[in-house]
Amino acid sequence: MPSALITGITGQDGLYLAELLTSKGYDVHAIIRGQNNPKLELVQRLLPDVRLHTGDLTDLSSLMRAMRDAKPDEVYNLGAVSFVAYSWENAQVTSDVTGLGVLNMLEAVRLYAGDDPSKVRYYQASSSEMFGKVQAVPQNESTLLWPRSPYGVAKVYGHYMTINYRESYGMHASSGILFNHESPRRGPEFVTRKVSRAVARIKLGLQESITMGNLDAKRDWGFAGDYVEAMWLMLQQDEAEDYVISTGETHSIRELLDAAFAHVGIEDWSDLVLQDPRFMRPAEVDLLIGDSAKAHEKLGWKPKVSFEELVAMMVENDLTEQKVLAGL
Ligand code: GDP
């Protein structure tokens, strides 16, 4: 039975990936951070077979211990401080966890692997935020990186360090440059979930309006469940490489609002959406749109869930969840 170790198990990708690997017969281990982690119960409920190890990406010895105990064939480093807006106010902790944390994880893998550097296959969760002030449209694996936030800068560090470990030590280390990917498990601070939840609450009469930031920003949004399959596929290749994972379609925040409100039968949302500079960013990424031709060719990967299906799935989930919470 192959075994895998996941960091970031409490996030949406960690949960989907752990489910995927469990369904494929893996012995799944995960690193969980902190004392009384509020997400511990969720992980234990959804994934009773996953074995949890206490550790922190900023603490190398805890990662080395987890490697020794889990003895993984594959490591998926999904852990990060991942909310872009927060990263300006907390640039140092974002750099420590999202950037230096990658170095710690790579070191833990390298030290564990000893004389056989390719004994463990490593996946690094890189991000389309690395493209930031985009230097080409659409973006592919060779597009120049120009991050526009402390989060993006930290991800660039992790991306290049992964490539450097592959080239310096012959490690099987791949970096997946994933464009935004969403799901009903997305945190409510991200725009898709913020919108799906508010639209559900407005429809149910639990809330009057939603306050947003920049409605003209555009993103290439896919479904997280599709994207974790790409992570797994990358580690099944003979050669470790870097891949862009995206849908190749871009939509504005306005289009997101159109789709979400239309799903509950509201065509004109102009009076329901307010704007507040509080939700604007000091710098915005431009037109994010990914070219994942390499992933199509080499991995045989394609996204299955469309933008409209994704928005409908998220709004439906929030309608159900909000009804239960409100006792309706
Ligand atoms: P990101 O791509 O990782 O930053 O994902 P987010 O979901 O946080 O943001 C996506 C885009 O939505 C960004 O360009 C934001 O500026 C824009 N946006 C507009 N209004 C909001 C809002 O109220 N909350 C968030 N999180 N983003 C917003």
Side-chain angles (χ1 to χ4, degrees), residues 82-84 129 180 182 186 189-192 194 211-215 217 219 221 253 279 281 284:
S82 66
F83 187 42
V84 173
E129 289 292 321
N180 292 53
E182 319 294 314
R186 191 62 145 149
E189 66 275 30
F190 291 91
V191 74
T192 50
K194 178 173 170 176
T211 307
M212 304 284 302
N214 177 10
L215 302 187
R219 288 290 187 280
W221 280 295
I253 309 299
F279 295 109
R281 299 185 176 180
E284 187 64 89

Side-chain angles (χ1 to χ4, degrees), residues 83-96:
F83 187 42
V84 173
Y86 171 94
S87 77
W88 275 278
E89 280 151 36
N90 300 274
Q92 189 166 345
V93 73
T94 302
S95 304
D96 283 347

Side-chain angles (χ1 to χ4, degrees), residues 12-306:
Q12 67 165 3
D13 292 9
L15 297 172
Y16 281 115
L17 179 65
E19 285 170 352
L20 178 74
L21 296 178
T22 304
S23 75
K24 289 184 184 296
Y26 277 69
D27 180 18
V28 181
H29 297 254
I31 294 178
I32 191 152
R33 188 173 60 95
Q35 212 179 343
N36 273 331
N37 187 316
K39 301 258 190 84
L40 174 64
E41 197 233 304
L42 173 78
V43 174
Q44 287 173 328
R45 180 162 49 81
L46 291 175
L47 301 160
D49 297 332
V50 170
R51 285 193 264 171
L52 299 174
H53 305 261
T54 304
D56 192 306
L57 284 170
T58 61
D59 181 346
L60 175 59
S61 68
S62 74
L63 303 178
M64 290 170 65
R65 257 196 322 275
M67 288 296 297
R68 185 196 63 195
D69 295 343
K71 300 182 180 53
D73 302 299
E74 297 176 7
V75 170
Y76 295 85
N77 186 32
L78 315 183
V81 175
S82 66
F83 187 42
V84 173
Y86 171 94
S87 77
W88 275 278
E89 280 151 36
N90 300 274
Q92 189 166 345
V93 73
T94 302
S95 304
D96 283 347
V97 178
T98 307
L100 281 176
V102 181
L103 174 62
N104 286 336
M105 201 64 237
L106 285 163
E107 269 299 279
V109 171
R110 184 178 76 85
L111 294 170
Y112 168 77
D115 295 338
D116 181 8
S118 60
K119 171 169 148 182
V120 181
R121 297 187 169 197
Y122 177 86
Y123 173 82
Q124 174 58 30
S126 290
S127 162
S128 57
E129 289 292 321
M130 301 191 307
F131 293 122
K133 188 168 162 42
V134 302
Q135 300 297 299
V137 179
Q139 297 87 47
N140 66 22
E141 293 78 7
S142 48
T143 304
L144 182 69
L145 304 177
W146 199 299
R148 292 271 273 176
S149 63
Y151 170 80
V153 173
K155 280 287 181 187
V156 170
Y157 174 88
H159 176 66
Y160 283 128
M161 201 50 96
T162 302
I163 295 172
N164 187 256
Y165 268 58
R166 180 170 75 216
E167 294 179 352
S168 303
Y169 301 114
M171 278 171 59
H172 193 292
S174 293
S175 175
I177 306 174
L178 270 54
F179 279 61
N180 292 53
H181 43 288
E182 319 294 314
S183 75
R185 290 173 176 167
R186 191 62 145 149
E189 66 275 30
F190 291 91
V191 74
T192 50
R193 186 75 198 287
K194 178 173 170 176
V195 166
S196 67
R197 195 147 87 163
V199 166
R201 288 176 58 83
I202 290 169
K203 177 69 181 172
L204 296 170
L206 300 169
Q207 180 173 326
E208 285 184 355
S209 60
I210 173 172
T211 307
M212 304 284 302
N214 177 10
L215 302 187
D216 297 315
K218 288 188 158 185
R219 288 290 187 280
D220 177 333
W221 280 295
F223 171 51
D226 289 345
Y227 284 37
V228 298
E229 288 207 37
M231 299 176 186
W232 176 77
L233 284 167
M234 283 179 218
L235 298 205
Q236 310 317 306
Q237 307 306 305
D238 291 340
E239 298 287 326
E241 289 183 51
D242 309 317
Y243 294 89
V244 161
I245 301 297
S246 65
T247 70
E249 255 185 51
T250 192
H251 296 274
S252 65
I253 309 299
R254 274 177 217 286
E255 289 172 287
L256 168 67
L257 289 162
D258 281 342
F261 277 111
H263 187 73
V264 297
I266 299 174
E267 296 304 327
D268 179 7
W269 46 261
S270 49
D271 292 339
L272 304 173
V273 176
L274 313 174
Q275 272 185 288
D276 189 322
R278 201 157 48 98
F279 295 109
M280 305 277 187
R281 299 185 176 180
E284 187 64 89
V285 306
D286 297 326
L287 182 58
L288 279 185
I289 173 162
D291 170 6
S292 48
K294 178 177 172 185
H296 296 177
E297 273 166 39
K298 292 204 167 178
L299 306 178
W301 179 87
K302 272 197 170 147
K304 298 186 192 107
V305 176
S306 71

